[in-house]
Amino acid sequence: MTERKTLFSLSANTYSPQFSARSFFIYLFLFLILALPFTADASTRDSINQDSKTLQEIHTALEQPVSMQQLLDWHKSIDIIKDKAERCINNKGKQLKQTDNGLKILGPAVAGEPANISALRIKLSNRQKSLQGEIATCKVLAVASTDLGQEVDSTRENLHARILLRRDKNIWEQLTTLTAVSSHTWNQEKNYWLIQHHHFILAQKSLQIAIAIGLFVFLLLLVVRKSLPESGNHGTQLSAAQKSLYHYLPIIAGVAATMLVAHLMGVFSPLARVVLFTWGTYALLAILVTWALRPSGMVFHHFAWGPKSLRSTLRNLRFIALLSAFAVAWLLTAPQDYLHSQQQAFFWSIYQLLMLAAVFRLVWVAGVKKPFRAYPFLRIIILISLSATALFTLLGYRNLTDYLFFGILMSLLALGCGLFVSWGLSDFWNYTARKNGRWQHVLKQRLGLNDDQPLPWLGWFSALSHITVWLAIAAFVLYAWGLTHTGFSLIWKYFITGFTVGTFHIQPFRWIIAIALLVLLININTLVQRYLSENSRIIGHLESGARHSILSIVRYTGFIIAILVALSTAGVALHNLAIIAGALSVGIGFGLQNIVNNFVSGLILLLERPIRVGDWIQVGSTQGYVQKMSIRYTLILTFDRTEVFVPNSELISGQVTNWMYTNNVLRLMIPFYVAHSADIELVKELLVKEGQNHPDVLQDDPRGIPPTALLLDVNENALQFYLRVYLDDCNKSFNVQTDLRASVVESLLRHNIRLAHQQQDVHIIPSQILPVNGTTGKAQDSLESGPQ
């Protein structure tokens, strides 16, 4: 408030005619600057001092042994301090910029200026020095927090490595430790598992009743299950999924009945919980595995394995499912064991070795079959990793073994689930695209599509679903290998704020938004083209070539706009594109000049439209109809139904004959060769008459001349007459020529007018006939006896 009052008092006492206009703007701008909460400087300095003290304490404490949790807490504190320092640099930088602008407005000191202007200049100069000092302090704090954070991370990595590489007792020493357990501990362990309410658990009637009820349910469903295939012969055949469910249903029902009765009667002991949970979970996992490997399932469809391989794989997976069910049951029941962790290490090592052996055998057998045999290097890495984990288990590296064991098995499980779900999604989208079921019919009706039209955007939905699945799998794998919530937060932070590679800042979030926007704009452009092509009220009255040119211009313009908008959204400065284009101009001039030439020629063809889609043109020796015009080439469909791709540059630089440029009218000159003895006037009359009788020939039309007969040449063989006619559609040229030739020939023959043929006269000079003697006489005889 003191500074604000000073400002108002100065402004009230500085009125001067020569400074009135300038002072008004100066006071207005400086009021906005000096009205900032300068009282916050003290709290900012206190916060900086407190953060500096915290960093110093952490640096001092790092010289002493610390725990992993303490390092994690310090890492969070350092990140908070670093963020505060960066915010301080940004905020103080903005204030410094405003202060600098104020000093620029005031300008340098001049003689005779008012005292209040000098006071403001001094105040802003002091403020500038203060902000520069605070910014320097915040920068030092940011650098210190960054360096200390790296030191904490290094210490944490070293501590994590020491913990992982710490060696405990090997498996023989673990067995020795187990055998050294006192008899009292063993009695406590036995009583925990086998004794409940001071009685042996199997001797309790309540538990016996629960087991009897479970066995009764199991046997009852077992009998019912045997009758299901027989009933299937009279009705609907059971599917593989139903057979799998019915196969394990007695086990699940028996276990569930036993657990329920035992829980209600209060005899649900730890051993009963582990056993029943194990078998129940195993049955559920076995149903899932059997259903996945059924002959009609997705796995069989993608793998195409034989029955023997499927049975072998199914046995391996069932054994792995049994071991997994035991681990899940053990963790869920959480038994309060009397054996401490060192005494239990032998059992855990045996369990890990069994699981590793089962997974090793599964990878070894399945890795040589399709489709896994296409990735032998990955199979070798997995087998080596499993073998190394088993070796570390035998040597006693318990922490490293647990880390590798959980990471490898969870990664393989995630990979298997990802493949299974990905195949299921592929089959679902293919079924959606190919089948015309009830819900597809309803969906097409909602979208205004016909039954023969495909559903739009299925490809994008399929890609999006697959990307989502594999991103979830990747996140699960990272979690399995020890990535904590802090790590995920850091990944998310880099995903949103981005990271710098060299001088280029990449923000993945903005790039994803840019890609989504690009896809959306391209699809909108496609919809606009479809709307224009189907809506006759807009461009339907134009000819086909004009419609094609408009649609092509819309397509390429929309594509360029989509690219520019996507790049701008991704954070790419568009002025950098001009620099890149200038750098590539030399390469384009030497290596891509033909492509650029065709591209520019395509633009000229689309704008000037010397040829259009549907025109009958001739380029060199190629003659046909223009079927498609793109930005690089023009597709010509010849009369023998072959497709010729002509570069656009040839259509611009070469001679092109367009029979349909201004109109479709075509002149035909059909030749007829008549003998010299024919009546010329009668021939002309007959030709004109046949031309007038044809329906496709223009008669009294300003676009052409009525049919005319012309005698254009007389040679030694014939009189050459030409029938000149004009057609309203050049596409009928060959048919009209065929009709006119046939009708004219028939008319000439009816009037006994002989068509001319090529003639050759042979003159024999008597004075040059050789005498009849020897071989020459024979030659003369053969000449005289020749064809008459």
Side-chain angles (χ1 to χ4, degrees), residues 502-541:
T503 59
F504 190 70
H505 187 72
I506 301 176
Q507 291 181 268
F509 179 74
R510 295 188 63 176
W511 277 95
I512 291 178
I513 296 298
I515 293 174
L517 188 60
L518 176 64
V519 172
L520 179 62
L521 291 177
I522 290 177
N523 282 274
I524 291 176
N525 188 26
T526 303
L527 293 177
V528 170
Q529 296 176 53
R530 184 181 303 172
Y531 176 78
L532 290 176
S533 62
E534 295 177 355
N535 195 338
S536 59
R537 293 175 298 177
I538 299 179
I539 62 174
H541 61 281

Side-chain angles (χ1 to χ4, degrees), residues 175 277 706:
L175 180 60
F277 273 128

Side-chain angles (χ1 to χ4, degrees), residues 657-710:
T657 303
N658 190 344
W659 301 93
M660 304 169 62
Y661 181 64
T662 57
N663 53 58
N664 290 350
V665 175
L666 177 66
R667 189 194 71 170
L668 293 180
M669 296 288 289
I670 305 175
F672 294 97
Y673 300 94
V674 181
H676 291 99
S677 59
D679 186 352
I680 295 177
E681 294 301 327
L682 179 58
V683 172
K684 293 172 62 178
E685 180 182 353
L686 293 176
L687 293 179
V688 172
K689 181 179 179 181
E690 295 300 330
Q692 292 175 348
N693 292 334
H694 200 283
D696 293 328
V697 175
L698 295 178
Q699 306 298 331
D700 296 327
D701 196 302
R703 294 178 296 172
I705 301 175
T708 306
L710 303 173

Side-chain angles (χ1 to χ4, degrees), residues 509-625:
F509 179 74
R510 295 188 63 176
W511 277 95
I512 291 178
I513 296 298
I515 293 174
L517 188 60
L518 176 64
V519 172
L520 179 62
L521 291 177
I522 290 177
N523 282 274
I524 291 176
N525 188 26
T526 303
L527 293 177
V528 170
Q529 296 176 53
R530 184 181 303 172
Y531 176 78
L532 290 176
S533 62
E534 295 177 355
N535 195 338
S536 59
R537 293 175 298 177
I538 299 179
I539 62 174
H541 61 281
L542 302 176
E543 57 181 345
S544 60
R547 291 198 301 269
H548 182 271
S549 298
I550 292 175
L551 292 176
S552 299
I553 293 173
V554 169
R555 178 170 65 252
Y556 292 117
T557 303
F559 182 76
I560 294 174
I561 293 175
I563 291 293
L564 294 178
V565 172
L567 290 176
S568 178
T569 305
V572 178
L574 297 182
H575 65 272
N576 293 333
L577 298 179
I579 300 175
I580 297 174
L584 293 177
S585 60
V586 178
I588 290 175
F590 287 99
L592 302 176
Q593 56 182 346
N594 291 332
I595 297 177
V596 175
N597 187 13
N598 291 324
F599 180 82
V600 176
S601 300
L603 294 178
I604 295 174
L605 291 175
L606 290 176
L607 294 176
E608 294 186 354
R609 299 177 61 234
I611 60 175
R612 298 148 300 189
V613 173
D615 285 358
W616 175 16
I617 67 172
Q618 181 175 354
V619 183
S621 60
T622 302
Q623 185 176 174
Y625 293 98

Side-chain angles (χ1 to χ4, degrees), residues 34-266:
L34 298 179
L36 295 174
F38 290 163
T39 56
D41 294 343
S43 60
T44 302
R45 287 192 293 268
D46 294 340
S47 177
I48 292 175
N49 294 333
Q50 182 63 34
D51 293 339
S52 301
K53 183 179 179 181
T54 302
L55 294 178
Q56 183 64 33
E57 292 176 353
I58 294 174
H59 180 71
T60 304
L62 282 175
E63 300 176 358
Q64 305 296 327
V66 293
S67 63
M68 183 64 71
Q69 185 60 40
Q70 186 64 46
L71 291 174
L72 293 175
D73 295 338
W74 287 345
H75 190 276
K76 294 179 182 179
S77 301
I78 293 173
D79 286 341
I80 294 174
I81 295 174
K82 183 178 178 181
D83 292 339
K84 290 170 61 177
E86 291 177 352
R87 289 197 302 269
C88 173
I89 294 173
N90 293 331
N91 296 333
K92 298 301 180 181
K94 294 178 181 178
Q95 297 179 18
L96 180 61
K97 185 177 180 180
Q98 293 176 348
T99 305
D100 293 339
N101 292 334
L103 289 174
K104 289 180 181 179
I105 293 175
L106 289 176
V110 294
E113 67 179 4
N116 58 347
I117 298 297
S118 301
L120 285 175
R121 184 180 293 107
I122 295 173
K123 186 179 291 294
L124 289 177
S125 299
N126 295 333
R127 179 62 178 168
Q128 184 184 44
K129 295 178 181 179
S130 176
L131 289 174
Q132 290 175 348
E134 292 178 1
I135 292 174
T137 304
C138 292
K139 288 183 178 180
V140 171
L141 191 63
V143 172
S145 59
T146 301
D147 294 339
L148 188 59
Q150 294 176 355
E151 186 177 355
V152 169
D153 291 338
S154 177
T155 304
R156 187 175 60 179
E157 292 176 358
N158 294 332
L159 180 60
H160 191 264
R162 288 197 300 270
I163 292 174
L164 286 179
L165 298 178
R166 184 179 63 192
R167 183 177 179 181
D168 296 327
K169 297 179 180 180
N170 56 34
I171 192 168
W172 177 254
E173 294 172 346
Q174 294 172 6
L175 180 60
T176 304
T177 302
L178 184 63
T179 56
V181 176
S182 63
S183 58
H184 177 69
T185 304
W186 280 117
N187 289 330
Q188 288 180 330
E189 185 74 13
K190 181 184 68 173
N191 294 334
Y192 175 77
W193 289 103
L194 301 178
I195 304 299
Q196 189 176 18
H197 303 307
H198 306 288
H199 295 284
F200 184 63
I201 56 174
L202 296 179
Q204 297 182 15
K205 293 183 179 180
S206 300
L207 185 59
Q208 293 175 358
I209 293 173
I211 295 175
I213 293 175
L215 288 175
F216 173 77
V217 173
F218 172 76
L219 295 175
L220 178 62
L221 292 180
L222 194 64
V223 173
V224 174
R225 188 189 68 180
K226 291 182 178 180
S227 62
L228 288 176
E230 300 177 358
S231 63
N233 295 331
H234 303 286
T236 305
Q237 185 67 27
L238 297 177
S239 63
Q242 291 174 336
K243 290 180 180 179
S244 175
L245 177 63
Y246 294 150
H247 181 75
Y248 291 98
L249 184 61
I251 299 177
I252 296 176
V255 169
T258 304
M259 292 173 61
L260 179 61
V261 175
H263 177 71
L264 294 176
M265 292 186 175

